[in-house]
Amino acid sequence: MASENPMTVAVCQLNCTDDREKNFEVCKNFISKAAFHQAKMVFLPECFDHVGNNKRQSIELSEPLDGPLMKKYQQLALEKSIWLSLGGFHEKQGQKDEKVYNSHIIIDDGGNIRAVYRKIHLFDIDIPGGIRLKESDFSIPGHQILPPVKTPVGNIGLGICYDLRFPEFSLSLTKAGADILTYPSAFTVTTGMAHWEVLLRSRAIETQSYVIAAAQTGKHNPKRSSYGHAMVVDPWGVVIACCSSGPGMALAEINLNYVNKVRAEMPIWLHRRDELYGSILSAKDSFDSPNSVMFGQIELLPEQLFHRTRFSVAFVNKKPVVPGHVLVTPVRCVERFADLSPTEVADLFSCVQVAQKIVEEEYSTRSSTISIQDGPDAGQTIPHVHVHILPRRPGDFEENDDIYRELEAHDKSKDVKWRSNEEMAEEADRLRKKVKTVHKF
């Protein structure tokens, strides 16, 4: 979709208050001005909808995605034939919600919502005798890094404000194909003066991507002020557009040929030593998890799964050796344990750890046998790495190690009585209900 020719973008700087109508009119004027200058996309900052005077007001003013404010922006994008990056929307989930998502929304030039990223890093500071600012008091953390969004100006990776401080986040998006990273923000004056430009330029240099950061500026109410300095940084780390003090808009050209040139002449992506310090997960890999999973040649249905991590799933057993005997397998079909990547190994055993806690709590046990039958000579009957978790009770076998002999033979007899899908679904449902109580890390 993106053109190889330079494309104009507009980055905006706002001073929003609790007056939502006024905020919208200011944004509307900037969008109209950007369209007049033939910009293909406009970037608005975090809290473009409103900055409340307190937590209660911020939540009371919030709306769902299908509310009237978002419809006005969708209509505006359609009328002006322009893409919008709405950098931080107070997204309400229900009428009685006490917290909201901080959501970054992309609207295309047809007025369609193309992507919704919900902020995953929440800014929480509680210094004894000093500052207390906890975003988690009123915001729900997101749980997903979105893959980059294809737009006329390039593939855009979506972040919000505090996400800027996590280089792994930007590397994940770039590894998934981002040409541009966005950090719409409402940085505090203190942190902005110290770190804002340094962080934006660092993210651009280390990922060799454009960085676009719309910003809030000035005093919003007696308790809150923002640093401003909305800017665009190129892949070499040069600031190519910046807003001065006060509300405003700056234009910049995005040139994807320049992205390719910088990456070719400084090929850092070819020089990474992942075997020494690990590999950053791609945002696309972490997003593209299917609803059902293949276990060898067997399709695991969603109702049979009870826990999922980025690269692994835990599911109930068709022929358990003991009550609560479950399995954990990588999503990628790999026959031998040694064929897993270091990232997949770490993820697999993170999933095993949670699954073990779940089954031990559900079946009131305090011990488990955890086993891998790695290869056919070790008893593996399905050529896909999997871990057995068997909750144990005192005296459940005459000799403790008899469990391994039973595990070897439990599914190989001609007279095996397999559990029904209904039985498996019922157990998986019970285990799923335990996830929130045990998954605290």
Side-chain angles (χ1 to χ4, degrees):
M1 182 184 294
S3 170
E4 291 299 316
N5 298 318
M7 292 285 182
T8 302
V9 299
V11 61
C12 297
Q13 184 160 286
L14 307 177
N15 175 238
C16 291
T17 65
D18 60 344
D19 189 336
R20 289 165 59 83
E21 285 299 322
K22 181 179 178 181
N23 296 338
F24 175 75
E25 288 301 318
V26 172
C27 293
K28 180 180 177 180
N29 289 336
F30 281 140
I31 291 168
S32 298
K33 183 178 177 182
F36 175 79
H37 286 283
Q38 298 184 323
K40 293 294 182 182
M41 192 161 187
V42 180
F43 293 79
L44 299 179
E46 185 178 32
C47 302
F48 70 92
D49 50 351
H50 63 266
V51 175
N53 292 313
N54 51 56
K55 168 188 168 182
R56 181 176 180 180
Q57 186 188 40
S58 291
I59 293 173
E60 287 176 348
L61 292 174
S62 65
E63 292 182 7
L65 282 178
D66 59 356
L69 181 62
M70 196 54 55
K71 290 187 186 302
K72 290 203 293 186
Y73 277 102
Q74 289 178 266
Q75 183 62 33
L76 188 56
L78 176 62
E79 290 174 359
K80 299 298 180 181
S81 189
I82 198 166
W83 284 62
L84 302 178
S85 162
L86 307 180
F89 176 66
H90 296 80
E91 182 194 350
K92 182 179 288 187
Q93 295 293 295
Q95 292 300 318
K96 297 182 180 180
D97 285 352
E98 296 182 358
K99 294 184 180 182
V100 297
Y101 283 111
N102 188 348
S103 300
H104 185 166
I105 299 156
I106 299 295
I107 299 176
D108 67 20
D109 54 4
N112 306 297
I113 294 178
R114 286 295 190 94
V116 180
Y117 162 69
R118 297 175 175 95
K119 187 177 181 184
I120 64 172
H121 297 111
L122 300 186
F123 185 50
D124 279 6
I125 292 180
D126 190 359
I127 302 173
I131 297 173
R132 185 184 191 278
L133 178 56
K134 304 204 77 171
E135 193 174 2
S136 60
D137 285 346
F138 55 87
S139 292
I140 308 166
H143 299 286
Q144 209 162 52
I145 304 176
L146 293 191
V149 182
K150 292 182 179 180
T151 79
V153 300
N155 296 330
I156 298 181
L158 306 183
I160 301 174
C161 200
Y162 191 48
D163 291 331
L164 174 61
R165 291 186 178 273
F166 300 87
E168 302 90 344
F169 180 87
S170 61
L171 290 170
S172 174
L173 286 167
T174 310
K175 190 173 181 180
D179 309 302
I180 302 164
L181 302 174
T182 53
Y183 295 102
S185 300
F187 249 58
T188 67
V189 174
T190 301
T191 57
M193 290 178 64
H195 299 149
W196 176 246
E197 183 177 332
V198 174
L199 286 170
L200 291 172
R201 296 181 69 190
S202 296
R203 297 296 85 87
I205 293 167
E206 70 198 9
T207 64
Q208 299 174 311
S209 304
Y210 283 95
V211 172
I212 301 176
Q216 293 283 350
T217 189
K219 192 170 184 177
H220 308 287
N221 56 50
K223 295 182 179 180
R224 185 169 179 180
S225 297
S226 294
Y227 178 64
H229 295 75
M231 65 179 65
V232 180
V233 185
D234 76 12
W236 193 245
V238 176
V239 178
I240 59 173
C242 185
C243 291
S244 58
S245 60
M249 184 185 81
L251 300 173
E253 283 194 344
I254 301 297
N255 188 339
L256 297 185
N257 287 329
Y258 187 55
V259 175
N260 296 331
K261 181 176 184 291
V262 170
R263 292 178 181 180
E265 293 180 355
M266 184 72 74
I268 59 175
W269 290 94
L270 299 178
H271 298 157
R272 294 189 181 278
R273 296 293 304 277
D274 291 343
E275 76 278 11
L276 299 180
Y277 43 72
S279 175
I280 296 293
L281 296 174
S282 161
K284 186 175 186 300
D285 291 338
S286 67
F287 184 79
D288 289 344
S289 293
N291 289 325
S292 60
V293 176
M294 295 305 297
F295 178 42
Q297 299 302 312
I298 301 169
E299 181 181 11
L300 300 176
L301 302 176
E303 57 266 28
Q304 297 168 344
L305 312 179
F306 66 90
H307 183 58
R308 182 191 297 266
T309 52
R310 280 180 170 174
F311 294 112
S312 310
V313 292
F315 58 102
V316 296
N317 203 334
K318 198 170 182 67
K319 181 60 173 72
V321 171
V322 295
H325 175 190
V326 299
L327 303 171
V328 178
T329 192
V331 171
R332 184 167 70 95
C333 188
V334 175
E335 186 171 348
R336 297 296 308 280
F337 181 75
D339 295 329
L340 294 172
S341 71
T343 298
E344 287 173 315
V345 171
D347 185 84
L348 178 68
F349 281 97
S350 291
C351 192
V352 167
Q353 187 179 45
V354 175
Q356 179 190 6
K357 289 184 176 183
I358 290 169
V359 295
E360 286 189 359
E361 181 170 310
E362 174 63 20
Y363 288 93
S364 302
T365 64
R366 296 186 300 170
S367 302
S368 292
T369 293
I370 298 174
S371 175
I372 299 177
Q373 295 167 298
D374 194 26
D377 296 334
Q380 183 189 55
T381 54
I382 295 176
H384 187 161
V385 175
H386 53 282
V387 181
H388 294 266
I389 303 173
L390 304 96
R392 301 294 304 275
R393 292 181 174 80
D396 52 6
F397 287 88
E398 186 173 344
E399 297 290 337
N400 194 50
D401 284 353
D402 285 348
I403 192 167
Y404 297 109
R405 286 182 280 275
E406 182 63 24
L407 187 61
E408 165 75 18
H410 77 291
D411 58 355
K412 297 179 177 63
S413 168
K414 294 180 181 180
D415 301 322
V416 171
K417 183 179 180 181
W418 304 105
R419 292 204 296 173
S420 67
N421 287 337
E422 291 73 20
E423 289 176 295
M424 296 170 69
E426 186 277 329
E427 182 184 29
D429 184 62
R430 284 190 284 112
L431 296 176
R432 274 193 296 273
K433 292 175 181 177
K434 296 287 184 182
V435 174
K436 291 184 179 180
T437 64
V438 304
H439 194 190
K440 297 179 180 178
F441 49 87

